[in-house]
């Protein structure tokens, strides 16, 4: 039995007990006697009616108390909406992560596209600088910013990072970039360029997961 039902039952008992003390119906002889007495004293009438008035007011008060108690109890028993996800874990944390890492991620991806374009034209300089640097807009920087941004896309704070979809897709992208980078070092720009479509496909899949546009639209 919930609290509302208990409250109603308790108040009903009080009401029934109070009613037991209400004045009982009078017999014909008693009514005749009361009328006779009333003729001699109007003030006596008021005294006789007082218990009825008091009982009426008491009943009205108890009825109001029942309604108020029921309403209050039902409201207190209502389930409270809990924050989740993204949110909460997702909400403010995700917003903060986007503010901190989106710009770094965007600059690094833009630099990767520039490096690949140069590589297609026979210039490997930008690609080598991209993978060897450590400032904002390089591969080293996005390996940190990209992972932290991915980790912010979660439904709760207890899920292991490696179980998060965004982190999984981030790691799939990293695998493709590592393979691309090895080809660049060992076999040159032309061979590496042939492998870039796989890099870009994995990148786009990850960007969708972290609410960012396709790589060439950043």
């Amino acid at each position: 039995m919930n609290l509302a039902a208990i409250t109603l039952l308790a108040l009903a008992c009080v009401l029934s007990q109070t009613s037991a003390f209400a004045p009982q119906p009078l017999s014909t002889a008693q009514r005749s006697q009361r009328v006779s007495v009333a003729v001699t004293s109007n003030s006596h009438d008021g005294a006789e009616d007082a218990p009825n008035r008091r009982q009426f007011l008491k009943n009205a008060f108890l009825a109001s108390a029942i309604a108020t108690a029921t309403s209050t109890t039902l409201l207190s028993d209502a389930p409270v909406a809990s924050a989740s996800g993204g949110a909460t874990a997702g909400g403010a944390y995700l917003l903060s992560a986007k503010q901190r890492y989106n710009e770094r991620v965007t600059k690094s991806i833009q630099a990767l596209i520039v490096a690949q374009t140069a590589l297609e034209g026979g210039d490997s300089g930008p690609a080598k600088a991209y993978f060897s640097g450590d400032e904002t807009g390089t591969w080293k920087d996005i390996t940190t910013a990209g992972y932290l941004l991915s980790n912010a896309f979660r439904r709760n704070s207890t899920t292991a990072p490696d179980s998060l979809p965004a982190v999984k897709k981030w790691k799939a992208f990293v695998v493709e970039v590592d393979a691309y980078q090895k080809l660049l070092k060992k076999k040159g720009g032309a061979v590496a360029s042939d492998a870039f479509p796989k890099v870009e496909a994995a990148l786009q899949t990850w960007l969708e997961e972290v609410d960012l546009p396709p790589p060439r639209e950043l």
Side-chain angles (χ1 to χ4, degrees):
M1 182 180 294
N2 61 29
L3 186 55
I6 294 173
T7 303
L8 285 172
L9 181 59
L11 288 173
C13 289
V14 172
L15 182 58
S16 64
Q17 291 172 0
T18 304
S19 299
F21 294 98
Q24 300 301 313
L26 300 176
S27 66
T28 302
Q30 289 173 322
R31 285 198 298 272
S32 298
Q33 184 180 5
R34 181 165 296 178
V35 170
S36 175
V37 173
V39 171
T40 60
S41 176
N42 288 332
S43 61
H44 189 63
D45 255 341
E48 290 293 339
D49 290 338
N52 291 333
R53 288 196 297 271
R54 285 196 298 271
Q55 186 61 36
F56 173 80
L57 293 173
K58 186 176 292 186
N59 290 348
F61 171 79
L62 288 172
S64 175
I66 290 173
T68 301
T70 302
S71 175
T72 302
T73 304
L74 290 176
L75 286 174
S76 66
D77 286 346
V80 179
S82 59
S84 64
T88 343
Y93 178 62
L94 176 56
L95 179 60
S96 176
K98 285 183 174 182
Q99 291 172 340
R100 282 180 292 177
Y101 306 125
N102 271 7
E103 183 177 359
R104 290 167 59 186
V105 167
T106 297
K107 287 183 176 180
S108 294
I109 292 172
Q110 289 172 338
L112 176 61
I113 297 300
V114 168
Q116 170 57 24
T117 301
L119 203 60
E120 291 171 356
D123 183 4
S124 61
K128 291 179 180 178
Y130 177 77
F131 287 112
S132 61
D134 58 6
E135 66 274 11
T136 299
T138 61
W139 175 244
K140 185 175 182 179
D141 185 54
I142 196 177
T143 54
T144 300
Y147 174 80
L148 293 174
L149 177 61
S150 301
N151 189 47
F153 282 79
R154 54 173 57 248
R155 292 181 180 274
N156 58 66
S157 59
T158 60
T159 304
D162 288 347
S163 298
L164 299 173
V167 172
K168 290 180 179 180
K169 291 177 182 179
W170 159 254
K171 289 187 172 183
F173 165 59
V174 171
V175 167
E176 294 299 336
V177 174
D178 285 346
Y180 171 79
Q181 188 177 0
K182 288 176 182 178
L183 288 173
L184 177 63
K185 289 179 179 179
K186 294 181 178 180
K187 297 187 177 181
V191 176
S193 290
D194 291 339
F196 192 75
K198 290 184 178 180
V199 173
E200 191 166 359
L203 173 58
Q204 182 161 335
T205 299
W206 171 65
L207 290 176
E208 290 173 356
E209 194 67 34
V210 293
D211 296 339
L212 286 173
R216 295 182 186 273
E217 294 179 14
L218 288 170

